């Protein structure tokens, strides 16, 4: 029998024998002492013994169950309640009811290892410990712990039975697994320390479990008594290591597991919960733990069968435990303890020791100034947007690349890739696939057998396999089926393609894969949540990097701590506003404004995108393609960009030519087109023309001269079908004579210069188009396809989109009743561009908001996107400069710039470095380097008639821009 030293009690509780501050000591320790003493001295013996018990209650149980708990509170004076499954509002109501009838405030506990969702519906689930174990930055785990602590605090919970700091060194462990930070005791300790710091910061008591270590077993202690046969040396260096480190870091409490540990307890088969040698000897004396000690649930088979009702609780208390969790029969157990007290088996000092520790813990948890749980906005408070911010940050940092042959990851050179996605597993991979398609054309291949897969995959050179298993709980199945193991082997052996395997399941799923030699890329995403799927897809294409390391040995080829760090390629990623310093609630004004535009008939539909700091945080579709459409606007609908073509197609080619020495800003029109050497245009410089200060006419209505007196297309210029000499397709069944190309340039050459002031003009872009095409001996659309569209993965962008996209995905721009006399859909709205076969230097490009944002992001990143440099930073700065501001000309070289006076193309809230453009059809995009912000607005305000100028008059596009800037969180 061990000598019990329990006096003086408060000397013991303030400082441990190891000289550390007791983890239960509050900052106001004197007030705590007085409260504990007063409470203890006011208690009867029955009340003191009652404090040792913590009973369970599920908030989804019947009222009779709650009544039984109330009876125990009133009659048996129990110390606390641990809540089991249910809902947050129901639990909060029960907490208030229970506290109202308790003479001494109750300690409320919950198992919330990965958040309240471990037990409660309608609450948030953070990543499992195994996922967190892959993260290298422990401050992120502290953030998770803090957020879980905040939720617990809001719900009236005082102690979270977390973290689980078992070292999971047995892959067959049925009960721990994903609940563990991994198999490396140092990593487990680091993550555990971070987690408890976060919880304690939120005012919640922590609990390390399951002492002395439940990781190295294949038995579930809920059903039987697991045996841990490790040597004492191994126990000290592995199982006990995290507990010691957390104890040294201020762990509030420890939960003792029901384990048979022969090298710690000489009595054969004695559960550790009942072992004085383990609880008092190892935990208290050897490891110096002075915090609260809980038993694991005493109704579990591993311990409940060891002794009759009541005896188990007595033996657990004698062993050194303070709180007896979930006894099978409180009355029986309390009676046994009272008998032991009266017979001298339990001394007054022993009882005082535990009860005062319990009271200290209650004081530290704030129960000296107890307030009922507020039910108002409880659901909102527990499910705020900050949860997603933390989860996303955690999962991005956990993603682990375990193999990367040929530096396949992140995927580069999209123009050379033909990509297929194959889904394995029995859970959804929809989010993964959809996110993949945001970066490249990815085909979802489905087959019934390996022959079907081989045939379908023959035409692809990259196969991405997603293995998706249930994310419902950490105990769900995680293994490949036999068919999937065979298919994986056969697909990876295809000589025509590389294979990437992305696993959305427990790392141990890889143990059944016999051979990884032909799998070129291996990604561990750990969980199949939507954010894990998004993050894995983003990592594959380089929007984010890879930093994680395997927390366990997943396969002989991939031991613990395997992880290849990959840098991002500067592609746009996807996130939520708060992650980049914007307010979701304030951004709701954007929805309000766009919907007001729809209601006011400014446009039939629109796409609006906002990106900040390289993350798309708002990408919404509004309205319909036309006012009479039944279909709604979707992300893959594409719009006629009108004059955005200038900065998204022609200008980047000019910038590239300037870098290559093929054009200079001081070149004149006669240098570009020698035929202009005797015209008024001969001395107009590239710089002035691109700055709209070249004295050029605003536009030339070329099409009018090709109409009859009845204003219909003349047979002199047009045919209804392509014939020899009539190959320029202007619209459906309308082909222009090839000779008219020369007429366009001759007419431009006959123009007189206008007054010397700012005048927006399309005319220069006809000249630039001709010069670009003559220089490279290739059409503008093919040049930009090779230069930007294919390499950047702009797979919703094209000139003449009907050659590439289904007609129904192209938004109509007008019901033309003055030139083409048809619905303009899939053909450029601009008449001059249409008369050039749909490819103009000033108009003709079609795209969606996402692809527009990618090009603008490339500009913001100094000419780099997807790991490839398209332009130099010097060039972009050179062209994003206002050279004639002193002449009251706000424009940069090709780019529009903020207004110099009160009104102009922006909200007036952007930086001087910002740039962008607008388009006639109702389009707009703007980028601000100072805020790292991109805004895209695409609409077809010209449908059904371009005479509808409500969008322009309302200033809606810039009012939306103002709303975006108003949402920035300072």
């Amino acid at each position: 029998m061990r000598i019990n030293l329990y006096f003086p009690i408060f000397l013991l509780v303030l400082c441990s024998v190891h000289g550390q501050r007791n983890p239960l000591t509050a900052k106001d320790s004197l007030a705590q002492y007085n409260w504990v003493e007063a409470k203890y001295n006011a208690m009867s013996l029955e009340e003191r013994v009652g404090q040792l018990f913590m009973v369970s209650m599920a908030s989804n149980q019947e009222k009779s169950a709650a009544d039984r708990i109330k009876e125990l509170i009133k009659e048996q004076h129990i110390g606390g309640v641990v809540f089991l499954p249910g809902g947050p509002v129901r639990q909060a109501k029960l907490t208030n009811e229970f506290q109202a009838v308790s003479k001494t405030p109750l300690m409320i506990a919950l198992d919330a290892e990965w958040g309240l969702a471990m037990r409660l519906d309608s609450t948030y689930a953070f990543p499992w410990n195994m996922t967190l174990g892959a993260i290298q930055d422990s401050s992120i785990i502290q953030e998770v712990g803090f957020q879980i602590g905040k939720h617990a605090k809001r719900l009236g919970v005082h102690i979270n039975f977390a973290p689980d700091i078992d070292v999971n060194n047995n892959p067959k462990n049925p009960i721990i697994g994903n609940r563990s930070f991994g198999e490396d005791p140092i990593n487990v300790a680091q993550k555990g320390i971070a987690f408890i710091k976060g919880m304690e910061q939120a005012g919640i008591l922590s609990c390390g479990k399951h002492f002395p270590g439940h990781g190295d077993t294949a038995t579930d202690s809920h059903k039987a008594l697991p045996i841990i046969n490790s040597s004492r040396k191994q126990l000290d260096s592995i199982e006990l290591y995290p507990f010691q480190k957390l104890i040294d870091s201020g762990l509030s409490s420890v939960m003792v597991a029901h384990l048979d540990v022969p090298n710690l307890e000489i009595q054969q088969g004695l559960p550790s919960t009942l072992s004085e040698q383990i609880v008092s000897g190892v935990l208290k004396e050897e490891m110096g733990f002075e915090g609260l000690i809980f038993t694991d649930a005493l109704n579990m088979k591993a311990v409940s069968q060891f002794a009759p009702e009541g005896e188990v609780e007595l033996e657990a208390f004698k062993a050194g435990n303070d709180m007896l969790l979930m006894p099978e029969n409180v009355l029986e157990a309390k009676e046994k303890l009272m008998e032991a007290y009266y017979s001298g088996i339990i001394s007054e000092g022993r009882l005082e020791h535990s009860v005062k520790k319990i009271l200290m813990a209650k004081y530290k948890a704030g129960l000296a100034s107890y307030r009922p749980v507020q039910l108002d906005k409880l659901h909102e408070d527990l499910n705020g947007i900050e949860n997603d911010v933390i989860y996303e940050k955690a999962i991005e940092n956990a993603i682990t690349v375990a193999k990367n042959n040929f530096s396949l990851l992140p995927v580069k050179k999209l123009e050379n890739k033909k990509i297929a996605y194959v889904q394995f597993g029995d859970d959804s991979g929809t989010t993964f696939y959809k996110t993949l398609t945001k970066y490249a054309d990815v085909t979802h291949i489905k087959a019934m057998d390996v022959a079907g897969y081989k045939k379908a995959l023959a035409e692809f050179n990259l196969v991405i396999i997603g293995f998706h298993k249930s994310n419902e709980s950490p105990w769900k199945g995680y293994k490949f089926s036999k068919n999937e193991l065979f298919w994986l082997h056969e697909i990876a052996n295809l000589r025509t393609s590389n294979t990437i395997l992305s696993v959305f399941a427990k790392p141990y799923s890889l143990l059944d894969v016999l051979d990884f030699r032909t799998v070129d890329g291996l990604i561990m995403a750990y969980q199949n949540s939507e954010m894990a799927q998004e993050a894995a897809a983003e990592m594959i294409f380089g929007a984010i990097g890879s930093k994680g390391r395997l927390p366990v040995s997943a396969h002989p080829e991939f031991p613990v701590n395997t992880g290849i760090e990959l840098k991002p390629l500067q592609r746009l990623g996807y996130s939520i506003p708060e992650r980049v310093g914007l307010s979701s609630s304030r951004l709701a004004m954007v929805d309000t404004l766009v919907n007001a535009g729809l209601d006011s008939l400014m446009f039939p539909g629109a796409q609006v995108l906002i990106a900040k700091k390289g993350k798309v945080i708002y990408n919404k579709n509004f309205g319909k393609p036309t006012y009479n459409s039944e279909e709604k606007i979707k992300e893959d609908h594409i719009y006629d960009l009108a004059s955005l073509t200038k900065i998204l197609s022609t200008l980047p080619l000019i910038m590239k030519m300037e870098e290559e020495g093929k054009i200079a800003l001081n070149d004149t029109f006669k240098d570009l087109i020698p035929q202009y050497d005797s015209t008024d245009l001969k001395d107009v410089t590239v710089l002035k023309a691109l700055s709209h200060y070249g004295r050029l006419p605003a536009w030339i209505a070329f099409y009018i001269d090709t109409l009859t007196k009845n204003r219909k297309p003349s047979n002199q210029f047009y045919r209804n079908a392509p014939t020899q000499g009539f190959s320029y397709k202007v619209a459906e069944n309308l082909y222009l004579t090839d000779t008219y190309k020369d007429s366009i340039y001759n007419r431009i050459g006959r123009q007189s210069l206008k007054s010397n002031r700012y005048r927006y003009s399309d005319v220069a872009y006809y000249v630039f188009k001709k010069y670009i095409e003559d220089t490279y001996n290739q059409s503008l659309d093919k040049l930009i396809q090779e230069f930007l569209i294919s390499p950047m993965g702009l797979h919703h962008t094209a000139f003449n989109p009907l050659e590439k996209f289904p007609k129904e995905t192209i938004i109509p721009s007008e019901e033309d009743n003055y030139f083409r006399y048809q619905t303009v859909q899939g053909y450029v709205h601009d008449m001059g561009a249409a008369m050039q076969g749909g490819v103009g230097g000033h108009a003709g490009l079609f795209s969606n908001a996402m692809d527009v944002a990618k090009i603008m992001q490339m500009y913001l990143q100094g000419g780099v996107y997807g790991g490839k440099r398209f332009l130099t930073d010097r060039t972009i700065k050179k062209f994003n400069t206002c050279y004639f501001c002193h002449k009251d000309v706000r424009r940069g070289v090709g780019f529009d710039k903020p207004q110099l006076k009160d009104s102009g193309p922006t909200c007036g809230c952007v930086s001087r470095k910002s740039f962008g453009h607008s388009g006639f059809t109702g389009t707009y995009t703007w980028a601000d380097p100072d805020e790292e912000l991109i805004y895209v607005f695409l609409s077809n305000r010209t449908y059904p008639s371009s005479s509808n100028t409500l969008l322009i008059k309302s200033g809606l596009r810039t009012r939306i821009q103002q709303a975006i800037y108003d949402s920035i969180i300072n």
Side-chain angles (χ1 to χ4, degrees):
M1 190 74 167
R2 190 164 266 96
I3 296 173
N4 293 319
L5 302 173
Y6 296 115
F7 286 98
I9 293 297
F10 210 68
L11 182 61
L12 176 144
V13 297
L14 280 178
C15 298
S16 84
V17 294
H18 286 232
Q20 300 160 340
R21 184 179 177 87
N22 186 286
L24 300 178
T25 303
K27 290 181 180 178
D28 53 342
S29 57
L30 184 58
Q32 181 186 35
Y33 171 77
N34 291 331
W35 186 85
V36 169
E37 289 295 307
K39 283 290 180 185
Y40 185 82
N41 292 333
M43 287 179 180
S44 67
L45 176 63
E46 283 198 11
E47 289 172 338
R48 292 172 182 174
V49 175
Q51 288 296 299
L52 304 176
F53 295 97
M54 179 174 277
V55 300
S56 64
M57 173 71 200
S59 58
N60 59 11
Q61 287 179 281
E62 298 294 328
K63 181 178 181 296
S64 57
D67 291 339
R68 285 194 297 272
I69 300 298
K70 288 179 186 176
E71 193 67 23
L72 288 173
I73 295 170
K74 288 187 286 188
E75 299 297 328
Q76 303 305 323
H77 312 288
I78 58 173
V81 176
V82 56
F83 276 96
L84 301 178
V89 175
R90 288 168 286 167
Q91 178 172 317
K93 288 178 178 178
L94 286 172
T95 298
N96 291 344
E97 291 176 21
F98 293 163
Q99 295 283 20
V101 297
S102 183
K103 184 177 178 181
T104 302
L106 295 162
M107 182 185 295
I108 304 298
L110 192 72
D111 283 296
E113 294 170 21
W114 56 89
L116 305 187
M118 182 174 177
R119 287 289 181 257
L120 305 178
D121 60 36
S122 310
T123 56
Y124 200 86
F126 290 92
W128 302 324
N129 280 3
M130 185 72 76
T131 308
L132 299 180
I135 299 172
Q136 299 307 295
D137 180 359
S138 291
S139 68
I140 297 170
I141 287 81
Q142 185 169 339
E143 290 183 50
V144 173
F146 177 69
Q147 195 67 11
I148 291 174
K150 276 177 61 180
H151 291 177
K153 190 85 169 176
R154 178 66 181 85
L155 190 58
V157 173
H158 308 110
I159 184 164
N160 181 7
F161 289 148
D164 186 320
I165 50 173
D166 296 309
V167 177
N168 201 85
N169 43 7
N170 189 333
K172 295 180 180 179
N173 194 315
I175 195 62
I176 305 302
N178 274 326
R179 299 166 65 194
S180 165
F181 290 116
E183 72 176 62
D184 180 351
I186 296 174
N187 185 45
V188 171
Q190 289 173 344
K191 301 303 187 291
I193 290 168
F195 194 93
I196 67 169
K197 282 183 178 177
M199 280 205 304
E200 298 270 354
Q201 184 185 348
I204 295 298
L205 302 175
S206 55
C207 181
K209 61 186 185 186
H210 304 84
F211 187 84
H214 204 313
D216 191 11
T217 176
T219 303
D220 181 353
S221 56
H222 293 82
K223 302 173 182 177
L225 183 65
I227 300 175
I228 307 295
N229 275 315
S230 304
S231 67
R232 180 60 199 260
K233 183 178 180 181
Q234 182 178 333
L235 288 167
D236 286 339
S237 62
I238 298 178
E239 279 81 3
L240 296 176
Y241 181 88
F243 287 96
Q244 185 66 69
K245 290 297 181 182
L246 266 70
I247 288 168
D248 294 344
S249 298
L251 180 66
S252 308
S253 70
V254 165
M255 180 180 287
V256 181
H258 312 310
L259 302 167
D260 180 3
V261 192
N263 282 301
L264 293 182
E265 169 56 57
I266 59 173
Q267 183 178 335
Q268 186 176 357
L270 182 67
S272 47
T273 336
L274 311 184
S275 167
E276 185 183 11
Q277 179 60 47
I278 291 174
V279 179
S280 293
V282 177
L283 179 59
K284 287 176 151 184
E285 295 179 14
E286 293 183 26
M287 301 179 74
F289 184 59
E290 298 292 350
L292 207 56
I293 302 175
F294 288 85
T295 66
D296 204 341
L298 293 173
N299 59 5
M300 292 166 64
K301 297 298 183 185
V303 69
S304 63
Q305 295 175 342
F306 189 81
E309 283 187 4
E311 292 288 348
V312 167
E313 290 77 11
L314 174 59
E315 293 303 315
F317 186 70
K318 286 164 60 181
N321 295 284
D322 299 308
M323 288 203 87
L324 309 171
L325 184 64
M326 296 169 63
E328 288 202 294
N329 189 320
V330 174
L331 272 66
E332 287 275 354
K334 188 175 180 183
E335 186 177 323
K336 293 289 184 183
L337 265 77
M338 297 281 289
E339 289 175 3
Y341 178 87
Y342 287 124
S343 64
I345 296 172
I346 296 175
S347 68
E348 173 62 31
R350 171 69 187 91
L351 182 62
E352 183 181 4
H353 173 78
S354 286
V355 175
K356 286 191 173 180
K357 282 170 70 178
I358 292 166
L359 291 172
M360 283 184 70
K362 289 184 176 185
Y363 185 94
K364 188 175 182 182
L367 280 167
S369 53
Y370 164 75
R371 289 188 181 89
V373 181
Q374 295 299 309
L375 302 181
D376 187 42
K377 294 186 178 179
L378 178 60
H379 181 270
E380 293 86 341
D381 291 345
L382 297 179
N383 292 281
I385 194 71
E386 65 273 13
N387 298 336
D388 286 341
V389 173
I390 294 169
Y391 190 111
E392 183 181 84
K393 186 176 180 181
I395 207 72
E396 285 184 5
N397 279 270
I399 298 289
T400 304
V401 173
K403 187 176 183 181
N404 191 22
N405 280 358
F406 320 115
S407 297
L408 185 60
L409 294 166
V411 175
K412 310 170 193 72
K413 297 184 178 178
L414 298 180
E415 65 271 30
N416 299 330
K417 300 292 187 296
K418 191 161 187 189
I419 306 172
Y421 162 68
V422 174
Q423 180 175 332
F424 285 178
D426 52 16
D427 204 19
S428 173
T430 301
T431 301
F432 183 54
Y433 173 61
K434 283 185 176 179
T435 310
L436 291 173
T437 62
K438 291 178 180 180
Y439 294 98
D441 279 317
V442 181
T443 305
H444 190 172
I445 298 298
K446 301 176 183 178
M448 298 300 293
D449 53 34
V450 73
Y453 277 120
K454 283 184 173 182
K455 182 178 179 181
L457 295 171
E459 60 181 291
F460 297 92
N461 58 21
L462 178 59
V463 180
I464 299 171
I465 299 173
F467 178 54
H468 304 272
K469 299 296 286 185
S470 175
N471 198 59
E472 187 179 333
S473 86
W475 300 287
K476 286 286 185 178
Y478 61 92
K479 289 177 173 285
F480 288 89
S481 69
K482 290 182 179 179
N483 275 343
E484 288 167 344
L485 290 170
F486 176 58
W487 294 342
L488 172 61
H489 179 268
E490 293 299 304
I491 291 171
N493 271 294
L494 291 174
R495 294 186 176 183
T496 53
S497 57
N498 295 112
T499 302
I500 294 171
L501 173 63
S502 188
V503 177
F504 301 92
K506 192 186 295 188
Y508 296 131
S509 59
L510 301 182
L511 289 170
D512 291 332
V513 180
L514 295 178
D515 187 0
F516 277 96
R517 282 178 295 180
T518 54
V519 175
D520 301 303
L522 177 60
I523 302 159
M524 182 54 62
Y526 300 98
Q527 295 185 227
N528 200 39
S529 64
E530 289 195 4
M531 275 192 266
Q533 293 185 46
E534 285 180 352
E538 290 181 37
M539 195 285 302
I540 286 172
F541 286 102
I544 61 174
S546 168
K547 302 175 185 175
R549 294 182 185 175
L550 290 176
V552 294
S553 295
H555 190 274
E557 289 188 42
F558 310 116
V560 63
N561 291 321
T562 295
I564 301 169
E565 186 170 345
L566 298 177
K567 301 294 183 185
L569 293 180
Q570 291 184 281
R571 285 195 178 107
L572 278 171
Y574 300 85
S575 189
I576 49 183
E578 281 72 11
R579 182 83 188 276
V580 294
L582 294 173
S583 165
S584 296
S585 58
R586 294 181 204 168
L587 278 176
M589 179 55 69
V590 175
D591 296 57
T592 301
L593 289 168
V594 180
N595 285 317
L598 287 171
D599 294 342
S600 302
L601 304 181
M602 295 182 192
F603 44 82
Q607 293 177 344
V608 181
L609 182 146
I610 304 163
K612 196 172 192 297
K613 296 182 179 178
K615 301 277 190 181
V616 176
I617 51 85
Y618 185 107
N619 189 12
K620 293 189 180 181
N621 308 291
F622 298 86
K624 303 173 181 179
T626 72
Y627 291 110
N628 298 321
S629 298
E630 293 185 3
E631 184 185 12
K632 293 183 178 180
I633 297 295
K634 298 175 184 174
E635 276 187 34
D636 59 355
H637 276 119
I638 61 173
Y639 282 85
D640 181 339
L641 299 182
S643 284
L644 298 193
T645 301
K646 295 182 175 78
I647 67 166
L648 302 179
S649 175
T650 308
L651 189 64
L653 288 171
I654 291 173
M655 287 193 273
K656 176 173 175 278
M657 294 177 76
E658 198 267 349
E659 289 181 359
E660 294 173 347
K662 292 182 170 65
I663 196 170
L665 295 184
N666 59 359
D667 283 349
T668 62
F669 275 18
K670 68 183 177 186
D671 296 322
L672 306 186
I673 301 179
Q675 299 95 298
Y676 287 173
D677 64 350
S678 59
T679 69
D680 280 6
L681 310 185
K682 62 183 178 182
D683 294 324
V684 175
T685 64
V686 171
L687 175 62
K688 285 191 172 184
L690 286 172
S691 302
H692 299 278
Y693 191 50
R695 302 174 62 189
L696 300 172
W699 76 300
I700 302 171
F702 297 106
Y703 78 99
I704 291 177
D705 290 346
T706 67
L707 304 180
T708 65
K709 292 180 180 179
N710 296 326
R711 302 189 67 82
K712 296 292 178 68
S714 168
N715 289 336
Q716 178 184 350
F717 298 101
Y718 297 98
R719 297 290 184 271
N720 292 331
T723 58
Q724 187 174 358
F726 290 82
S727 63
Y728 284 109
K729 192 173 186 180
V730 175
E732 197 70 33
N733 302 319
L734 192 63
Y735 294 82
L736 177 66
T737 176
D738 297 348
T739 60
Y740 203 80
K741 177 182 178 181
D742 291 338
S743 301
I744 288 174
Y745 288 102
N746 289 337
R747 186 167 176 184
I748 291 171
R750 295 197 298 271
Q751 299 300 304
S752 300
L753 295 177
K754 307 300 179 182
S755 57
N756 192 23
R757 63 174 177 80
Y758 166 70
R759 181 181 286 100
Y760 181 78
S761 174
D762 286 340
V763 173
Y765 284 86
Y766 288 84
V767 176
F768 295 136
K769 174 181 184 287
K770 177 174 172 54
Y771 180 68
I772 291 167
E773 292 181 336
D774 288 349
T775 300
Y776 292 105
N777 196 30
Q778 198 170 11
S779 63
L780 181 74
D781 56 335
K782 291 180 180 176
L783 287 167
I784 198 64
Q785 181 74 36
E786 293 174 4
F787 179 47
L788 282 189
I789 294 175
S790 291
M792 288 186 67
L794 310 178
H795 50 284
H796 290 98
T797 303
F799 286 93
N800 290 317
L802 287 170
E803 296 175 4
K804 186 176 180 182
F805 305 106
K807 187 174 183 178
E808 60 269 18
T809 64
I810 307 168
I811 303 300
S813 56
E814 191 171 23
E815 294 293 340
D816 185 338
N817 60 4
Y818 53 87
F819 173 31
R820 289 157 284 199
Y821 296 90
Q822 59 184 266
T823 301
V824 181
Q825 183 176 10
Y827 299 94
V828 60
H829 177 270
D830 183 271
M831 294 72 78
M835 295 172 75
Q836 297 179 86
V839 183
H842 64 294
L845 197 63
F846 286 70
S847 191
N848 68 349
M850 189 64 240
D851 281 4
V852 172
K854 289 177 182 178
I855 298 177
M856 298 302 283
Q857 186 67 26
M858 180 269 291
Y859 286 141
L860 276 189
Q861 292 171 174
V864 174
Y865 194 87
K868 180 175 181 178
R869 177 164 292 284
F870 295 91
L871 300 164
T872 68
D873 186 46
R874 180 200 67 85
T875 299
I876 292 171
K877 287 177 179 176
K878 185 175 186 178
F879 279 70
N880 185 29
T881 298
C882 176
Y883 290 94
F884 302 104
C885 280
H886 62 290
K887 297 288 187 180
D888 205 23
V889 178
R890 69 170 188 263
R891 297 268 177 168
V893 185
F895 295 113
D896 201 356
K897 298 285 289 176
Q899 55 264 40
L900 300 175
K901 297 180 180 177
D902 292 339
S903 62
T906 76
C907 56
C909 52
V910 299
S911 75
R912 289 301 311 162
K913 293 178 184 177
S914 69
F915 57 93
H917 217 282
S918 59
F920 183 79
T921 52
T923 60
Y924 183 90
T925 186
W926 209 266
D928 189 338
D930 282 2
E931 293 292 346
E932 299 178 80
L933 193 149
I934 290 167
Y935 161 45
V936 182
F937 178 98
L938 304 183
S939 77
N940 55 335
R941 69 99 192 158
T942 51
Y943 189 91
S945 171
S946 59
S947 63
N948 178 7
T949 58
L950 290 173
L951 176 67
I952 299 166
K953 291 176 180 176
S954 71
L956 181 70
R957 290 172 287 187
T958 54
R959 284 162 57 205
I960 292 171
Q961 189 176 50
Q962 180 69 61
I964 296 168
Y965 277 75
D966 288 344
S967 75
I968 295 173
I969 301 169
N970 294 322

